[in-house]
Amino acid sequence: MVSKKLLLLPGDGIGPEAMAEVRKIIAYMNAELESGFELDEGLVGGSAYDAHGLAISEADMAKALASDAVLFGAVGGPKWDSVPYDLRPEAGLLRLRKDMELFANLRPAICYPALADSSSLKKEIVEGLDILIVRELTGGVYFGEPKEIRDLGNGQKRGIDTQVYDTYEIERISGVAFELARTRGNKVTSMEKRNVMKSGVLWNEVVTATHKAKYADVTLEHMLADAGGMQLVRWPKQFDVIVTDNLFGDMLSDIAAMLTGSLGMLPSASLGAPDARTGSRKALYEPVHGSAPDIAGTGAANPIAMIASFAMCLRYSFNMVVEADRLEAAIAGVLDDGIRTADIMSEGKTRVGTTEMGDAILAKFKALAA
Ligand code: IPM
Ligand code: MG
């Protein structure tokens, strides 16, 4: 029996509301499909700070490290704006990524046919879009040292962040991108800023060498990251897999999200290296959207990104490909039926809240299993 220990970290804002819809799906899968998920729960972000004075407690960190997969909601909100920097809600997420060594962040941007009209871009530009951003997640300027505000003693201060990448970090993230490209459109676009950054020069060299050594069957192209942002809104369908560093990946994936109609649609998977003995990877799944404090508690949040993140969990952590396909088909089916949360609402469609959207997806998921 494969163990299926899931740790739920709903977090703040709309995180718990979105997570509640995933819980319903898991309850159904355990009861009717004998999926055997063992659930545990913890606190992260502002809710952890309120309870323990930390963005994540040591006990919850230990649970995360012992789980087969973590499902993460969202963190942050104005309530914690004046919390000390090291204890801010986002620190909980960054610690999970770093301590679980989740270096590969997969952010698929798929435009469901039913939503081609919801994007701020023209329909023909986004219709049928299916790209994957592979973002490096444990290095770069997010974690590089020194990282500080230095007092220069002359009335001036200096803010310092350090962009740093080692060969092995670029090799392993580009390896993930090439492997995934082989299962899709067989093309990788690497994005950096080699025209101004030494880390970009190295990034470009190492991606090129990795390609030559092991993945010459995959088409590789290089693009400066600013041009890449422009091309993403000009003609996004030219891309298949984009591989890029932590900070560029953060920005480019928000752009990609809007191509799909709403930030509320985009799931993500953050994966570690496969264990040498068991082959299993540490993993955390989270929607790309944030905690959306402005709509938290109103029942209006879109749970699709959270549910689609659980579908990625089924696929990547448990190899439950049939169920993952079915859950993704259930989401597409509900959208085809014209059911919409406020963020993706358009004329003539049926507007629903978070729980109705979750119920509709679960009903479709059940019907597809029958
Ligand atoms: C993301 C978020 C995070 C990031 C924040 C919440 C720290 O924007 O996952 O894209 O910057 O990585
Ligand atoms: Mg972001």
Side-chain angles (χ1 to χ4, degrees), residues 97 107 135 142 249-251 253-254 263 288-289:
R97 289 174 179 171
R107 300 191 159 186
R135 167 187 177 193
Y142 273 62
D250 180 43
M251 297 189 289
S253 62
D254 265 26
L263 255 179
V288 173
H289 64 67

Side-chain angles (χ1 to χ4, degrees), residues 75 88 90-91 93-94 97 105 107 135 137 142 246 249-251 253-254 268 286-288 290:
V75 288
R88 73 200 189 287
E90 291 77 8
L93 176 58
L94 296 177
R97 289 174 179 171
N105 184 220
R107 300 191 159 186
R135 167 187 177 193
L137 203 60
Y142 273 62
N246 205 342
D250 180 43
M251 297 189 289
S253 62
D254 265 26
S268 82
E286 59 169 315
V288 173

Side-chain angles (χ1 to χ4, degrees), residues 139-160:
V141 77
Y142 273 62
F143 297 100
E145 297 284 348
K147 189 178 197 62
E148 63 187 24
I149 297 177
R150 203 173 282 171
D151 198 328
L152 299 180
N154 59 355
Q156 293 287 305
K157 291 180 181 174
R158 179 173 295 160
I160 304 171

Side-chain angles (χ1 to χ4, degrees), residues 105-124:
N105 184 220
L106 279 40
R107 300 191 159 186
I110 292 167
C111 183
Y112 289 91
L115 289 189
D117 284 323
S118 303
S119 173
S120 51
L121 297 189
K122 290 196 199 93
K123 185 173 174 156
E124 62 267 27

